[in-house]
Amino acid sequence: MNLYAFGKGLVKTVLSPLYRFEVIGKENFPKDGGILLCSNHIHALDPPVVGMTAPRTVHFMAKEELFNAPILGSILPKVNAFPVKRGMSDREALRTALKILKNGDVVGLFPEGTRSTDGILKKGLSGAGFFALRGNADVMPCAIIGPYKAFRKVQVVYGEPIQMAPFRERKASAEEVTEVIMASIQKILDDYSGNK
């Protein structure tokens, strides 16, 4: 068993007794091809929770500072995470993400760039649109609906994939595509936030 699969099982074992996870829309997740998985970001547990619930292996883009932490820094590369400098203008991270997407795999990122302290979806960074357009991948919008409180429900909702071919054909900007991605995440939040 690889470390990613082990970590996925471990996260599930540790977190499932504490939170009542409800996963919705897993059937929307494409079974193959490059996918840019974009989610809102409300808690430090979001990456392992998305990794635990996604039906495919996710390569997460994580802030560079985490890779300098004594123990975490050695674990992250083994669970398919790769570093990015804040602002998503890191060329090495760009190359890594595009290579993963073009290989037909899944890259996970949080377009807001940091956690939302009030749970309200913030403006997305244009890097999300850049990856979607350049990575030969479609986008899977995802919304995490908390709060992360003991024994309370946490929903992870996967929306309908956003087909990127029409945006590439008309040479849409990264900013426009990012706005479409964020609007899709916001729609999921609007549709499901009252169902808790």
Side-chain angles (χ1 to χ4, degrees):
M1 179 187 289
N2 64 29
L3 191 58
Y4 185 92
F6 174 77
K8 190 170 181 172
L10 182 63
V11 167
K12 194 169 186 177
T13 301
V14 171
L15 295 184
S16 291
L18 191 57
Y19 306 107
R20 294 189 298 116
F21 290 108
E22 180 183 20
V23 184
I24 300 168
K26 246 173 140 170
E27 68 278 3
N28 294 332
F29 213 108
K31 291 180 172 56
D32 49 37
I35 291 294
L36 183 67
L37 172 56
C38 294
S39 175
N40 63 323
H41 196 8
I42 58 171
H43 197 279
L45 289 175
D46 291 343
V49 166
V50 172
M52 173 186 85
T53 59
R56 292 172 59 186
T57 298
V58 182
H59 301 255
F60 275 107
M61 183 179 290
K63 62 183 181 181
E64 188 180 44
E65 294 88 338
L66 295 176
F67 289 80
N68 298 325
I71 298 171
L72 189 60
S74 62
I75 294 173
L76 286 173
K78 295 182 175 70
V79 292
N80 300 334
F82 60 97
V84 61
K85 294 184 175 72
R86 284 195 179 273
M88 292 190 192
S89 58
D90 179 348
R91 288 189 178 182
E92 185 60 34
L94 296 178
R95 283 194 291 268
T96 300
L98 291 175
K99 182 178 178 184
I100 292 166
L101 292 172
K102 288 176 180 177
N103 283 345
D105 293 320
V106 181
V107 168
L109 59 84
F110 300 94
E112 294 163 283
T114 189
R115 290 196 299 274
S116 170
T117 54
D118 56 10
I120 296 170
L121 190 68
K122 303 295 189 277
K123 183 178 172 63
L125 298 172
S126 60
F130 173 86
F131 291 129
L133 289 167
R134 294 283 298 276
N136 194 28
D138 289 329
V139 175
M140 171 54 64
C142 172
I144 302 163
I145 303 167
Y148 283 88
K149 290 188 178 174
F151 314 117
R152 293 275 297 276
K153 185 193 290 185
V154 176
Q155 291 177 315
V156 184
V157 186
Y158 293 99
E160 294 284 342
I162 305 168
Q163 305 296 323
M164 283 292 112
F167 293 96
R168 291 188 194 104
E169 285 165 14
R170 63 181 179 80
K171 295 181 167 52
S173 69
E175 288 78 12
E176 180 190 346
V177 171
T178 299
E179 285 179 11
V180 170
I181 293 169
M182 301 311 286
S184 297
I185 297 171
Q186 185 62 59
K187 184 177 187 311
I188 299 170
L189 289 169
D190 293 342
D191 288 349
Y192 286 91
S193 289
N195 297 343
K196 298 197 56 70

